[in-house]
Amino acid sequence: MSPLLDKLGRPLQDLRISVTDRCNFRCRYCMPKEVFGKDFTFMPRNKLLSFEEIERITKIFVKIGVKKIRLTGGEPLLRKDLPMLIERLANISGLDDIALTTNASLLERMAAKLKQAGLKRVNVSLDALDIKTFQSISDTAHKNETVLRGIDKAMQVGLGVKVNMVVKKGMNDDQIVPMASYFKKRGITLRFIEFMDVGQSNGWDYSKVISKKELLATLSKHFELESVDANDIGQVAKRYRYRGTKTEVGFITSVSEPFCSTCTRMRIAADGKLYKCLFATEGFDLRSLLRSGLNDETIQSAIVSTWRERVDRYSDERTEESAKNRKKIAMSYIGG
């Protein structure tokens, strides 16, 4: 089957599915307590896509070329019986990879079940090794030693592990080298993510962005790094390797070096809205189609039409004015 291309010639290959809008952290750049406080109303269960609906829609996406699925949130491990969903997805013919993004606070006790169900990889969000910095960013009483034990357990049971660190000037830039040293010793890929203007509530300002160029310069004072070629058109990270090792470090450069031209991803929010871009302003209501009695062919046709009309390239076009004034969907809702 020929790849399904959008108007800019980008193939559809990856699907990210948010399974919940809830999270047990309140990271200041994602779900600040000022917005997501005790009185915030999250989605009721009947508004979330069921496991049966997620399985059905995944099968449709696989038919039109998707090879990789990533489960996101919120915190996906808060979704009850998540291993059951992973097992359903793992049995879909033609799906090559199932991954999950998590804060790892629940990973230690769930890693074995996730692996047994068919999960292949986890991307762990961790922004600091220093406990005070970690708790300040996550705005919880959780300790990062719980996250680190979760990472160790995931490695122990055979899951692939990458760690993602959002870097914001004045927040955790003093943790760049300690994080690199820690995960280099453990042979785990660490990826530095430039602070992005996702959603409406993270207080983004360009002056708080530490660019890949600056990050690389800082790391090069302590480590010998060599570049690694991309292995996939949809790869988002600029890859480097510690010389003399197989351990990599990556940079996700949505601000300083946008990768819109090679974006192969669609996203489904927890309530079944389909989004063509992380910085989208509105989505397409898949849940209504799934619950309206329409057959798979009709739903597939709607998805195909949506992708073929896609022209999104927000990061290429970003300005400080658009970053501040354009209404965008919250990351906890759309999935990172």
Side-chain angles (χ1 to χ4, degrees):
M1 183 180 68
S2 299
L4 178 62
L5 304 178
D6 69 8
K7 283 187 175 293
L8 300 180
R10 298 169 292 188
L12 175 60
Q13 295 180 345
D14 307 275
L15 180 64
R16 298 189 176 184
I17 305 173
S18 177
V19 296
T20 181
D21 62 333
R22 299 172 184 268
C23 187
N24 53 348
F25 285 11
R26 286 296 176 268
C27 295
R28 298 180 183 277
Y29 58 80
C30 183
M31 294 182 70
K33 280 182 179 176
E34 293 81 4
V35 178
F36 298 89
K38 292 181 179 180
D39 296 330
F40 186 82
T41 302
F42 291 97
M43 293 180 202
R45 187 171 182 83
N46 68 331
K47 298 294 185 182
L48 300 175
L49 289 183
S50 68
F51 288 175
E52 291 81 5
E53 290 168 333
I54 294 173
E55 179 185 16
R56 182 185 177 196
I57 203 65
T58 299
K59 287 179 178 178
I60 294 172
F61 269 94
V62 169
K63 284 182 181 179
I64 56 178
V66 163
K67 299 294 184 184
K68 298 178 182 179
I69 296 287
R70 178 173 297 172
L71 301 178
T72 70
E75 171 48 50
L77 296 184
L78 291 176
R79 181 72 185 260
K80 186 179 179 182
D81 297 324
L82 186 69
M84 293 176 60
L85 172 62
I86 292 169
E87 187 173 7
R88 284 173 174 266
L89 300 181
N91 287 322
I92 297 176
S93 177
L95 185 60
D96 295 339
D97 188 27
I98 305 173
L100 179 143
T101 297
T102 175
N103 63 31
S105 60
L106 303 173
L107 187 57
E108 184 179 14
R109 65 181 176 86
M110 293 186 67
K113 290 181 179 179
L114 295 169
K115 174 65 176 177
Q116 186 177 11
L119 188 70
K120 294 187 177 181
R121 298 182 295 115
V122 291
N123 283 9
V124 175
S125 300
L126 177 64
D127 299 322
L129 288 176
D130 177 76
I131 181 63
K132 290 184 178 179
T133 304
F134 171 82
Q135 290 182 326
S136 174
I137 295 169
S138 61
D139 206 4
T140 70
H142 287 274
K143 296 182 178 179
N144 54 358
E145 63 187 44
T146 304
V147 175
L148 297 175
R149 288 199 307 268
I151 291 171
D152 290 343
K153 186 65 175 181
M155 296 282 287
Q156 180 185 328
V157 302
L159 288 169
V161 177
K162 292 180 181 177
V163 175
N164 291 338
M165 176 185 178
V166 174
V167 185
K168 179 181 175 182
K169 191 173 295 182
M171 179 180 79
N172 62 342
D173 37 341
D174 63 338
Q175 295 294 292
I176 294 168
V177 174
M179 286 279 287
S181 296
Y182 183 92
F183 290 106
K184 176 179 180 289
K185 290 176 182 178
R186 285 155 180 78
I188 296 173
T189 296
L190 172 63
R191 302 192 301 185
F192 296 97
I193 302 176
E194 293 177 349
F195 178 43
M196 294 184 291
D197 54 316
V198 180
Q200 299 295 113
S201 56
N202 72 351
W204 186 85
D205 187 287
Y206 189 79
S207 66
K208 300 297 184 181
V209 176
I210 301 179
S211 70
K212 173 238 180 177
K213 182 178 179 180
E214 294 172 292
L215 290 164
L216 186 57
T218 296
L219 292 172
S220 296
K221 295 176 183 178
H222 302 270
F223 312 98
E224 289 188 66
L225 297 172
E226 55 189 11
S227 62
V228 178
D229 292 336
N231 57 10
D232 187 342
I233 185 177
Q235 179 180 295
V236 299
K238 308 294 192 302
R239 297 167 59 203
Y240 288 78
R241 180 169 50 224
Y242 298 104
R243 191 180 300 277
T245 76
K246 294 182 179 180
T247 305
E248 294 187 13
V249 61
F251 304 90
I252 298 178
T253 60
S254 176
V255 179
S256 69
E257 299 177 21
F259 39 83
C260 296
S261 63
T262 57
C263 179
T264 61
R265 292 172 295 286
M266 276 187 124
R267 289 175 165 83
I268 300 177
D271 64 352
K273 289 281 182 63
L274 179 65
Y275 292 90
K276 298 177 288 184
C277 179
L278 179 61
F279 302 94
T281 57
E282 58 184 23
F284 176 76
D285 190 358
L286 274 180
R287 187 185 67 199
S288 291
L289 295 186
L290 290 167
R291 297 181 182 180
S292 64
L294 296 174
N295 61 30
D296 287 358
E297 289 72 22
T298 302
I299 296 173
Q300 178 177 317
S301 178
I303 295 169
V304 168
S305 296
T306 300
W307 184 263
R308 283 180 173 161
E309 293 300 313
R310 178 180 184 244
V311 293
D312 299 73
R313 48 192 296 268
Y314 172 80
S315 291
D316 281 343
E317 300 170 335
R318 177 194 287 108
T319 64
E320 290 206 49
E321 182 179 354
S322 68
K324 292 178 180 178
N325 297 329
R326 174 171 165 164
K327 184 179 179 181
K328 297 185 288 290
I329 304 300
M331 182 179 284
S332 59
Y333 165 76
I334 194 173

